[in-house]
Amino acid sequence: GKRFRHFVQALPDALIITDHEGGIQYVNSAAEHMFGYAAADLEGKDIDILIPERFRSRHGRFDRDYVATPTHRTMQRRGVEIVALKRDGAELPVDVGLNPVDMNGKKAIAASIRDATARVEAEGSLRRMTEELEERVAERTRRIREQAEENQFVLDNIPVLIWKSDPTGKVNYVNREWE
């Protein structure tokens, strides 16, 4: 009742409860803030109002699959960002957890939604830094190889005897000038 609503309103993550057909039944204040809608503007509408047009048909397939076999799970898939649509038309990367719930004896879906902007930006920064580091390592490796080849050329062509042996005394290198 009242204590439950107070608790749900205090959650830091957006919470949206839909019926099994995608009709929004409830939103908390974090959802209002995240998406820029008042609860009254969302409740009774289809969840598609929060999904960019280009993803709606795909979401419909996932939604039908979820209703057929509802389980507690996240919507994230490796390499695929989940994007939500705000009232002003801006898109927002989100992390979404789904959970089947019973709402007054009817099957419903509770979606816990977190703004993933900071995570996505951090992952992008990490990816860019990794790429930059890999480029720097490749360039440094190329320069080391070039230097090693130059050193080997000098060693091979210097007009004095140069050799290298292992700890047992076995010779394992003699410069070309003295082979």
Side-chain angles (χ1 to χ4, degrees), residues 123-172:
E123 287 172 352
S125 291
L126 182 60
R127 190 171 31 259
R128 285 186 299 279
M129 288 173 21
T130 300
E131 289 168 357
E132 181 182 323
L133 183 59
E134 287 173 348
E135 288 172 11
R136 291 171 74 185
V137 167
E139 175 59 23
R140 182 72 178 130
T141 301
R142 184 189 62 74
R143 283 193 268 147
I144 289 170
R145 272 198 201 106
E146 288 175 358
Q147 187 65 50
E149 288 170 6
E150 288 175 22
N151 292 346
Q152 190 65 50
F153 178 80
V154 170
L155 285 173
D156 283 344
N157 294 291
I158 199 164
V160 294
L161 174 61
I162 298 175
W163 82 93
K164 184 174 105 179
S165 61
D166 65 21
T168 66
K170 181 180 174 191
V171 174
N172 53 25

Side-chain angles (χ1 to χ4, degrees), residues 35-127:
F35 296 107
Y37 287 95
D41 294 332
L42 288 174
E43 292 171 355
K45 301 281 192 320
D46 193 278
I47 193 68
D48 281 353
I49 195 171
L50 301 175
I51 299 170
E53 182 72 38
R54 68 185 183 282
F55 298 124
R56 288 182 185 164
S57 65
R58 184 173 6 159
H59 179 262
R61 285 194 314 273
F62 289 134
D63 202 32
R64 284 188 298 279
D65 291 346
Y66 184 81
V67 168
T69 56
T71 58
H72 173 73
R73 68 173 180 86
T74 63
M75 288 181 63
Q76 280 57 37
R77 289 188 172 42
R78 193 172 218 23
V80 177
E81 275 310 317
I82 305 296
V83 181
L85 185 64
K86 296 170 70 169
R87 182 180 199 139
D88 65 5
E91 293 186 1
L92 177 71
V94 293
D95 293 326
V96 180
L98 300 175
N99 204 16
V101 294
D102 185 299
M103 199 162 159
N104 301 324
K106 296 179 182 175
K107 290 182 182 180
I109 301 165
S112 174
I113 306 164
R114 180 171 289 164
D115 182 340
T117 302
R119 178 186 55 77
V120 169
E121 288 173 354
E123 287 172 352
S125 291
L126 182 60
R127 190 171 31 259

